[in-house]
Amino acid sequence: MNVKFKPPAGGFSQIHGKCISLVGDDVDTDRIIPARFLKCINFDSLGKSVFDDDRKALKGNHPFDLKTNKGASILIVNSNFGCGSSREHAPQALMRWGIKAIIGESFADIFYSNCIAIGIPCFTLSKESIKIIQRYLENKDLFFEIDLIKSFASSKDLNFNLGIKETSRKMFLSGEWDTTS
């Protein structure tokens, strides 16, 4: 697991964090959290098993295993991220690893809704902008400050206007996403 898990609560307008990139289109929920981990009684232990099969296949060279990505909390992805089965375990596993926001080209609808329900904003950017970020991350660390009010991500070197559904943006700002707050 990346960090000690602390669930989000209530409304928020800013997210600060180190970026981690996962390159590839159509990353499905079966890859994010393999089916054998769905038998859990609660979601607490899922963070250590996120991308388990991919990580084993890459023998320590998966982005979620690299020491340079320790402490990362903003995931950068390509198109159709979270496709496949509608398991809520996938965003739960990402959140428990330490992911607080995801920026990608596009998201599967159910995955997007499951992320919103647990407090993970999913932002969209063009394919070109995602490639710029992913190329940048090949050589340097990138820390973004995401402003939900302006839907804007900024860093020392890169700045982007982010896309997010207006209803989702308002839910995060007001805290309405959090049904228990």
Side-chain angles (χ1 to χ4, degrees):
M1 200 151 82
N2 192 29
V3 295
K4 183 172 170 64
F5 175 68
K6 182 181 176 207
F12 55 91
S13 62
Q14 303 242 337
I15 301 165
H16 308 272
K18 182 178 180 179
C19 296
I20 179 174
S21 175
L22 185 68
V23 177
D25 295 331
D26 305 314
V27 174
D28 66 34
T29 55
D30 296 321
R31 286 181 58 200
I32 297 169
I33 190 71
R36 66 186 171 278
F37 298 106
L38 304 185
K39 298 175 189 175
C40 61
I41 295 170
N42 62 45
F43 298 121
D44 294 342
S45 65
L46 289 179
K48 67 182 179 211
S49 303
V50 71
F51 294 108
D52 192 70
D53 293 340
D54 290 357
R55 291 165 76 180
K56 284 178 181 168
L58 291 174
K59 298 177 181 168
N61 288 317
H62 188 277
F64 278 64
D65 288 327
L66 300 176
K67 288 182 183 179
T68 56
N69 290 329
K70 186 176 181 167
S73 60
I74 299 173
L75 179 59
I76 309 298
V77 298
N78 296 103
S79 70
N80 200 28
F81 188 77
C83 60
S85 59
S86 61
R87 58 183 65 156
E88 62 184 318
H89 297 71
Q92 288 282 354
L94 290 168
M95 182 172 66
R96 279 161 172 74
W97 187 85
I99 299 302
K100 295 179 182 175
I102 307 174
I103 301 173
E105 294 172 42
S106 64
F107 301 93
D109 288 339
I110 295 173
F111 177 83
Y112 179 92
S113 296
N114 285 336
C115 283
I116 300 307
I118 64 170
I120 301 175
C122 295
F123 300 95
T124 56
L125 272 176
S126 69
K127 181 185 237 23
E128 296 78 27
S129 295
I130 293 294
K131 285 187 185 225
I132 288 168
I133 295 169
Q134 288 175 329
R135 273 188 248 126
Y136 186 96
L137 284 167
E138 289 173 2
N139 302 307
K140 296 180 183 177
D141 287 341
L142 177 63
F143 294 84
F144 268 145
E145 180 175 313
I146 298 173
D147 183 330
L148 269 148
I149 294 170
K150 298 177 183 175
S151 299
F152 192 76
S154 60
S155 74
K156 183 177 79 174
D157 298 325
L158 300 173
N159 299 292
F160 297 97
N161 288 310
L162 302 171
I164 187 169
K165 293 178 183 177
E166 185 61 14
T167 53
S168 298
R169 187 180 77 82
K170 286 180 178 178
M171 287 172 65
F172 286 119
L173 292 172
S174 69
E176 291 175 18
W177 71 271
D178 186 359
T179 58
T180 61
S181 76

